[in-house]
Amino acid sequence: MFAAVDLGSNSFRLHIGEPLGARMHIVRTARDPLRLAAGLDSNNMLTEAAMRGAVACLHDFRKILDEYHLDAVRVVATNTMRVAKNADQLLPQLEAAIGYPIEIISGEEEGRLIYMGVTRAIERQDERRLVIDIGGGSTEVIAGTGPEIHLVESFGIGTQPQARDYFPDGRITARSFDAAVTAARARFEDAASLYHAQGWDAAYGSSGTMRAISEVIGRNAIGDGTVSQASLHALRDILIELGHVEAFALQGVKRDRVPVMVGGLTVLIGAMQELKVERLHAVNAGLRLGVLSDLELRANRRDRRDAAIRSCMQRFRVDTQRALRTCGIATLLYERLQPQADSQPHYLAWSAMLHEIGLAISMSGAHKHGAYIVEHADLGGFTTREQRLLATLVLGQKGNLRKIREALVEPDLAKAVLALRLAVVLMHARADNDIGGLRLRMKGKIEIDLPPELLARHPTLAPWFEKEECSWNEVGISFQAR
């Protein structure tokens, strides 16, 4: 049984799910319409009131999670936490409240998870599909075939800023509505041709806002009763005639969600016009179901992050054989260092596979170039925090250690850095198949026993180990190679 917690810009939501064959049975749900994005001030700082509300919500969610025996829990935060300048101040409070680490995911990763959720619900393996998800602070558009994603983009436009900027006092006029739609179209126009090239058999809308719009259209027989461009424009005309969000009394949406729906409607009309989508289907699936599905994949040892690493290696033409050699020796050395917890092996292996990625830019300073690429590349399945960890390891593979001094405070991470540095040295000296007698320890200080025959067969190792001694001593860690 798995749990997914979505810290969205409009609402915080919780799903607890249990896989039943091809389906994910939702056991429990919870929702708090926090409107976190509305708590951003003009400087993109979350107000104290907004932060208090978020912390209180996660305290309540934790009580629900504690009622179940869960195999895995994943908490993801989206656009508002991505853009809030004081997110670092709020994040520890939120993690303490819910009792689990929180991943601030990229817009592209959000889009991938949304698509996974929609795919899990639809189960049409050969269907070419377009998925649009309009959130409180961003809109994700994904094109794919069956489970395979071809194109994913996150656009910085959502329901909250649209409502705030164009309907600040709740008044709805033709002028303000059309201005909002034009602004939305401008966001999508540059990418429209990329999506047109993909093509699709069906288009889907996956957000709560999308389902609210669909519900209003369907229950009130607006237009043709479906989410078509004609129906959306008919709903627009009704809203303009009413003139104010407080006057909206149609079935299908709660009064407090009307401003969100109006903002979302302008985004949806703009997106459908630019992408040339005549009609889409609202589905009750998206980010949370995608997170649950991803947890199930990881439990079954089908981690999307492995595929992301392979794709990145291919893109930057990494020498696979050298990467595998380095990965193998780094993993072996890390095991010999007897880490305290099983927290670093995957990240060490992934960073070893990418350790030469910077060569695509320049041989000089390749580890620095590589660290930048790894931290900022779009790696599906990885969080910002995880990519930063990989980048630290790639950066620390050679040269002085002062640049990652703070990371070395964590014992297992320091052991991972040591294992990768030594693996790189041994790989370059072609000694990676000749280390049966090498012994190493790292408990406060580093001690390495080097068999004399190893140094005799690989004479270039000696100067490398001398450099390592200087590098570790510079950061206050004693290094002794005997």
Side-chain angles (χ1 to χ4, degrees):
M1 192 174 292
F2 307 112
V5 182
D6 165 18
L7 310 186
S9 299
N10 279 331
S11 304
F12 282 11
R13 294 174 180 264
L14 176 152
H15 271 16
I16 296 175
E18 182 179 13
L20 295 176
R23 292 282 181 178
M24 180 70 70
H25 174 60
I26 303 302
V27 177
R28 180 81 175 269
T29 66
R31 172 180 174 270
D32 189 332
L34 279 173
R35 309 282 186 269
L36 189 66
L40 287 170
D41 64 19
S42 58
N43 295 314
N44 273 350
M45 298 285 285
L46 284 165
T47 65
E48 289 293 333
M51 291 194 290
R52 284 195 302 270
V55 171
C57 171
L58 292 197
H59 275 297
D60 293 339
F61 279 7
R62 183 172 187 171
K63 294 175 184 176
I64 296 172
L65 294 174
D66 288 344
E67 295 176 16
Y68 296 85
H69 177 72
L70 299 168
D71 294 285
V73 178
R74 189 176 180 191
V75 188
V76 298
T78 58
N79 184 262
T80 297
M81 289 293 285
R82 288 196 290 266
V83 304
K85 293 180 180 178
N86 54 345
D88 288 346
Q89 173 186 341
L90 175 60
L91 194 61
Q93 301 176 52
L94 295 177
E95 290 183 329
I98 199 163
Y100 294 93
I102 295 173
E103 306 170 3
I104 300 178
I105 57 177
S106 69
E108 291 76 17
E109 175 64 5
E110 183 180 354
R112 275 187 286 267
L113 290 168
I114 288 166
Y115 188 88
M116 286 180 67
V118 172
T119 298
R120 185 67 178 266
I122 294 174
E123 296 180 350
R124 296 172 190 158
Q125 295 301 311
D126 298 327
E127 181 183 67
R128 296 183 307 159
R129 64 179 65 105
L130 182 75
V131 177
I132 301 175
D133 186 284
I134 301 172
S138 65
T139 295
E140 281 65 49
V141 184
I142 314 99
T145 301
E148 184 179 353
I149 294 172
H150 303 312
L151 180 62
V152 56
E153 293 288 343
S154 180
F155 300 88
I157 184 170
T159 62
Q160 293 287 354
Q162 287 290 96
R164 179 194 65 217
D165 295 343
Y166 296 97
F167 316 105
D169 55 359
R171 291 182 64 246
I172 305 171
T173 66
R175 183 176 182 179
S176 62
F177 200 100
D178 292 345
V181 169
T182 300
R185 292 187 63 172
R187 293 281 187 157
F188 300 107
E189 61 182 354
D190 285 344
S193 61
L194 300 176
Y195 287 94
H196 296 159
Q198 296 296 327
W200 53 84
D201 303 318
Y204 298 91
S206 61
S207 62
T209 296
M210 200 81 73
R211 293 190 291 274
I213 292 172
S214 177
E215 188 78 3
V216 169
I217 289 173
R219 292 181 64 176
N220 297 280
I222 296 173
D224 60 13
T226 69
V227 184
S228 64
Q229 288 204 34
S231 298
L232 296 177
H233 280 88
L235 178 56
R236 163 198 176 275
D237 293 342
I238 291 172
L239 289 166
I240 291 171
E241 184 176 350
L242 292 172
H244 200 282
V245 295
E246 293 295 333
F248 190 88
L250 297 181
Q251 295 181 343
V253 62
K254 295 180 180 178
R255 184 174 293 275
D256 66 328
R257 285 184 59 81
V258 174
V260 173
M261 186 199 72
V262 174
L265 180 61
T266 66
V267 178
L268 182 56
I269 291 175
M272 289 179 67
Q273 286 181 346
E274 284 300 311
L275 298 174
K276 293 182 171 55
V277 178
E278 286 300 320
R279 179 177 284 100
L280 58 76
H281 311 280
V283 292
N284 188 20
L287 179 59
R288 290 170 301 286
L289 183 55
V291 171
L292 292 173
S293 299
D294 199 33
L295 287 174
E296 182 186 7
L297 285 175
R298 292 187 184 187
N300 293 327
R301 301 185 183 277
R302 293 162 58 198
D303 197 324
R304 289 186 303 126
R305 293 174 294 183
D306 293 326
I309 294 296
R310 291 193 297 270
S311 176
C312 191
M313 291 173 63
Q314 184 176 16
R315 178 182 177 187
F316 289 95
R317 300 180 180 179
V318 170
D319 186 321
T320 303
Q321 292 306 312
R322 286 168 61 88
L324 286 170
R325 286 168 57 201
T326 306
C327 179
I329 192 61
T331 302
L332 177 61
L333 293 177
Y334 186 67
E335 291 173 354
R336 292 184 184 179
L337 287 166
Q338 299 180 338
Q340 298 174 2
D342 188 26
S343 57
Q344 305 296 341
H346 291 301
Y347 300 107
L348 174 59
W350 287 324
S351 63
M353 295 301 291
L354 296 179
H355 82 282
E356 289 190 327
I357 197 171
L359 292 175
I361 297 177
S362 171
M363 183 172 291
S364 176
H367 59 302
K368 299 176 184 177
H369 301 313
Y372 182 86
I373 292 172
V374 170
E375 182 171 356
H376 298 283
D378 179 20
L379 298 178
F382 285 93
T383 66
T384 301
R385 186 181 298 179
E386 289 175 324
Q387 288 188 224
R388 194 174 296 126
L389 173 57
L390 294 184
T392 297
L393 287 165
V394 171
L395 181 62
Q397 68 177 283
K398 63 184 295 187
N400 75 73
L401 288 163
R402 294 189 299 274
K403 54 188 178 288
I404 61 165
R405 185 193 297 267
E406 293 181 1
L408 300 176
V409 174
E410 203 282 298
D412 283 357
L413 183 52
K415 290 178 180 179
V417 171
L418 175 62
L420 182 57
R421 289 174 72 91
L422 294 181
V424 170
V425 168
L426 292 164
M427 188 273 293
H428 280 288
R430 299 188 180 279
D432 46 310
N433 292 320
D434 193 19
I435 59 169
L438 188 149
R439 299 288 180 268
L440 67 165
R441 294 167 296 281
M442 188 176 185
K443 293 183 178 179
K445 61 181 179 179
I446 298 168
E447 297 178 291
I448 301 179
D449 296 331
L450 294 169
E453 59 273 17
L454 176 65
L455 293 176
R457 285 192 292 268
H458 306 280
T460 59
L461 284 177
W464 277 111
F465 277 100
E466 290 175 5
K467 290 180 181 178
E468 284 301 297
E469 181 177 358
C470 293
S471 296
W472 287 97
N473 288 340
E474 282 181 350
V475 293
I477 299 176
S478 175
F479 184 102
Q480 297 176 354
R482 301 188 293 267

